[in-house]
């Protein structure tokens, strides 16, 4: 094995570094890099473990090639590489496993490309050409400062109302159609479904951030985020049920700060219980989307949450979304009565389409992506547009509904008294 490649403290980053597990791959790599004018001496014998050891004591190159042939757990070992690899490095991997799922998981983890062995000269050359194009392209974060950051919190008034579905759909719509760099932060650490809805592996980034808040910075964020697309990144987790979360919320607040400086839009999928534990998370939120269904329990909790938000997040614009409304079916609470009890209009009504929901789950895509042009997702598309307008440089109110007279408690009590007569 060659000795680790070292660079002096402030030396410029090398353009290229490669670690190959076999002589044939190394010979192919040397042939390609020689044509590109890069030093053949930067092609080393060794796999992913050697790459991690080398980068732990040296600067990362602009382009890194790693051979995963000897890795027993490629996805897990890639996390070790991310710990020592500097931001901006483009990583190309190669291996002998011809598995579409592995390929997609590697790309989601941040790998630029995955080549199948035995390596072909043309395939390596094409991969390097694409990587050079990306290196020379302007990063999306360069333009992020041109527009003010908008923070959106999506909160379910009750469990099972589809808040995560709404959050994922809004994030995808704002990033893919709105062309805004967007971060989706899933704060349901044990049972979050945002990454699952996008067919991604959540990784350990969020858990590591909670366990070690002092590590949170731009470099940590770049490694922890899982990219769903060029404009959308996700920070989620599937913490073991046996692993309780003990935190004062400082890690969540630091994550918000880093996202604010990196992305144009950040969307928090915020479990309602966290409002009790960490109310400071709402201090700088620009807009809140309350997701509810048309039930008596949801009416009660919507009232309570609206009251809490007026006191604790007065700066945030509020939008009430009635989700999973059965078309043509008798609801537990009529929309008119629901609006009367919460003393404001329901801003968006999303009907429940079982066929579309099933299709989206099978495809691993959000509703707005799986049902383009569908009447079911039209309200979500409109809501994303309204949020973009409401959180822009010149905010436009999300709704024009005003409050009716009387106290919240009085109207809710009146509504409960009337309900038996509607049966």
């Amino acid at each position: 094995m060659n000795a680790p490649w070292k660079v002096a403290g402030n030396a410029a980053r090398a353009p290229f570094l490669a670690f190959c597990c076999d002589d044939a791959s190394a010979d192919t790599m040397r042939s390609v890099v020689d044509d590109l004018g890069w030093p053949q001496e930067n092609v080393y014998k060794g796999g992913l473990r050697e790459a991690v050891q080398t980068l732990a004591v040296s600067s990362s190159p602009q382009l890194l090639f790693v051979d995963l042939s000897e890795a027993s757990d490629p996805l897990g070992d890639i996390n070790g590489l991310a710990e020592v690899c500097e931001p901006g490095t483009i990583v190309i991997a190669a291996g002998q496993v011809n598995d579409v799922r592995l390929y997609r998981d590697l790309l989601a983890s941040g790998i630029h490309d995955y080549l199948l062995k035995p390596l072909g000269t043309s395939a390596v050359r094409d991969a390097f050409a694409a990587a050079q194009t990306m290196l020379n392209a302007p990063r999306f974060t360069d333009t992020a400062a041109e527009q003010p950051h908008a923070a959106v919190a999506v909160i379910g008034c009750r469990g099972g109302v589809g808040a995560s579905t709404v959050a994922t759909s809004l994030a995808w719509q704002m990033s893919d159609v709105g062309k805004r760099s967007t971060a989706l932060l899933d704060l349901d650490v044990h049972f979050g479904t945002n990454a699952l809805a996008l067919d991604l592996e959540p990784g350990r980034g969020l858990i590591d951030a909670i366990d070690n808040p002092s590590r949170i910075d731009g470099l940590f964020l770049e490694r922890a985020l899982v990219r769903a697309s060029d404009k959308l990144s996700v920070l989620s987790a599937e913490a073991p049920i046996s692993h309780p979360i003990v935190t004062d919320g400082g890690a969540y607040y630091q994550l918000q700060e880093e996202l604010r400086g990196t992305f144009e839009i950040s969307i928090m999928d915020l479990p309602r219980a966290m409002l009790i534990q960490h109310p400071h998370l709402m201090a700088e939120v620009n807009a809140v989307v309350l997701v509810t269904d048309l039930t008596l329990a949801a009416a009660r909790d919507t009232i309570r949450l609206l009251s809490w938000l007026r006191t604790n997040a007065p700066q945030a614009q509020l939008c009430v979304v009635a989700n999973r409304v059965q078309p043509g079916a008798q609801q537990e609470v009529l929309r008119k009565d629901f609006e009367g009890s919460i003393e404001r209009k329901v801003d968006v009504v999303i009907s429940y389409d079982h066929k579309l929901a099933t299709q989206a789950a099978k495809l691993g895509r959000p509703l707005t992506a799986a049902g383009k042009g569908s009447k079911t997702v039209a309200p979500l598309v409109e809501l994303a547009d309204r949020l973009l307008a409401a959180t822009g440089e010149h905010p436009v109110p999300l709704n024009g509904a005003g409050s009716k007279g009387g106290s919240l408690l009085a109207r809710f009590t009146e509504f409960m008294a009337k309900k038996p007569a509607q049966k």
Side-chain angles (χ1 to χ4, degrees):
M1 183 186 302
N2 292 316
W5 175 73
K6 298 183 179 181
V7 176
N10 295 322
R13 295 173 66 175
F16 164 78
L17 196 62
F19 293 86
C20 302
C21 291
D22 58 272
D23 292 333
S25 298
D27 290 341
T28 300
M29 194 63 56
R30 292 189 182 99
S31 174
V32 173
V33 301
D34 185 57
D35 293 341
L36 294 173
W38 292 339
Q40 296 187 28
E41 293 78 12
N42 283 6
V43 179
Y44 293 98
K45 187 72 176 299
L48 185 58
R49 179 177 300 178
E50 285 72 19
V52 172
Q53 293 175 350
T54 298
L55 296 182
V57 296
S58 65
S59 299
S60 301
Q62 293 178 330
L63 175 59
L64 175 66
F65 175 88
V66 290
D67 194 335
L68 305 180
S69 300
E70 297 177 353
S72 58
D73 180 16
L75 283 175
D77 293 342
I78 284 296
N79 291 330
L81 179 64
E83 292 293 326
V84 298
C85 197
E86 298 174 15
T89 296
I90 293 182
V91 181
I92 296 175
Q96 297 174 328
V97 179
N98 187 9
D99 186 346
V100 174
R101 178 73 185 192
L102 174 63
Y103 173 76
R104 295 174 63 185
D105 289 342
L106 287 172
L107 293 188
S109 71
I111 296 295
H112 174 69
D113 202 355
Y114 176 75
L115 305 179
L116 192 63
K117 296 178 66 177
L119 297 177
T121 302
S122 59
V124 174
R125 186 179 290 111
D126 291 345
F128 283 4
Q132 285 183 294
T133 301
M134 177 173 289
L135 282 170
N136 296 328
R139 294 171 63 86
F140 69 83
T141 52
D142 293 338
T143 59
E146 297 177 4
Q147 298 191 43
H149 177 84
V152 179
V154 180
I155 305 170
C157 295
R158 299 283 297 172
V161 297
S164 294
T165 299
V166 171
T168 308
S169 296
L170 291 176
W172 185 89
Q173 187 70 17
M174 289 178 165
S175 61
D176 188 80
V177 179
K179 303 302 180 184
R180 304 280 286 275
S181 59
T182 305
L184 178 57
L185 177 59
D186 188 347
L187 291 183
D188 188 345
V189 181
H190 290 94
F191 302 104
T193 58
N194 290 161
L196 183 65
L198 293 166
D199 198 23
L200 299 174
E201 291 290 337
R204 284 193 48 86
L206 182 55
I207 300 174
D208 291 341
I210 297 170
D211 291 340
N212 302 283
S214 60
R215 294 182 54 199
I216 300 174
D217 56 18
L219 173 60
F220 175 87
L221 194 65
E222 183 164 334
R223 293 172 176 172
L225 286 165
V226 178
R227 296 186 64 177
S229 68
D230 290 341
K231 291 286 187 179
L232 177 60
S233 298
V234 182
L235 189 57
S236 184
E238 290 179 6
I241 300 176
S242 59
H243 179 76
I245 301 300
V246 180
T247 175
D248 61 357
Y252 302 138
Y253 188 79
Q254 287 179 258
L255 285 172
Q256 283 183 313
E257 288 293 308
E258 291 297 333
L259 293 175
R260 189 174 291 110
T262 306
F263 293 88
E264 297 171 82
I265 300 283
S266 62
I267 297 180
M268 282 193 303
D269 186 354
L270 189 65
R272 57 181 181 159
M274 295 193 74
L275 297 177
I276 303 169
Q277 300 167 349
H278 311 297
H280 60 279
L281 295 181
M282 301 300 296
E284 297 186 51
V285 169
N286 303 99
V288 177
V289 177
L290 282 180
V291 183
T292 183
D293 56 14
L294 299 183
T295 62
L296 182 60
R300 179 201 66 182
D301 291 344
T302 301
I303 290 173
R304 300 170 71 193
L305 287 170
L306 286 171
S307 178
W308 187 94
L309 289 167
R310 291 189 188 102
T311 302
N312 295 273
Q315 81 289 347
Q317 296 200 53
L318 300 177
C319 180
V320 177
V321 175
N323 190 35
R324 296 181 175 175
V325 177
Q326 296 286 350
Q330 180 67 40
Q331 303 296 321
E332 181 177 326
V333 178
L334 298 177
R335 176 178 176 179
K336 179 180 178 181
D337 295 328
F338 189 93
E339 291 175 334
S341 70
I342 67 173
E343 297 182 326
R344 60 165 289 156
K345 296 291 185 182
V346 171
D347 302 293
V348 179
V349 176
I350 303 172
S351 60
Y352 182 63
D353 187 332
H354 176 73
K355 182 178 180 180
L356 177 59
T358 302
Q359 181 183 11
K362 288 181 178 179
L363 294 175
R365 307 192 72 189
L367 285 180
T368 44
K372 289 183 178 180
S374 167
K375 292 182 179 179
T376 301
V377 303
L380 278 170
V381 173
E382 181 184 354
L383 175 58
D385 293 340
R386 290 165 66 182
L387 284 168
L388 287 173
T391 55
E393 190 172 0
H394 304 289
V396 177
L398 279 171
N399 61 77
S403 297
K404 300 178 182 180
S407 69
L408 289 170
L409 180 60
R411 289 195 168 273
F412 185 68
T413 303
E414 179 183 0
F415 164 72
M416 292 182 65
K418 291 180 178 180
K419 186 172 187 301
Q422 296 171 355
K423 294 182 178 180

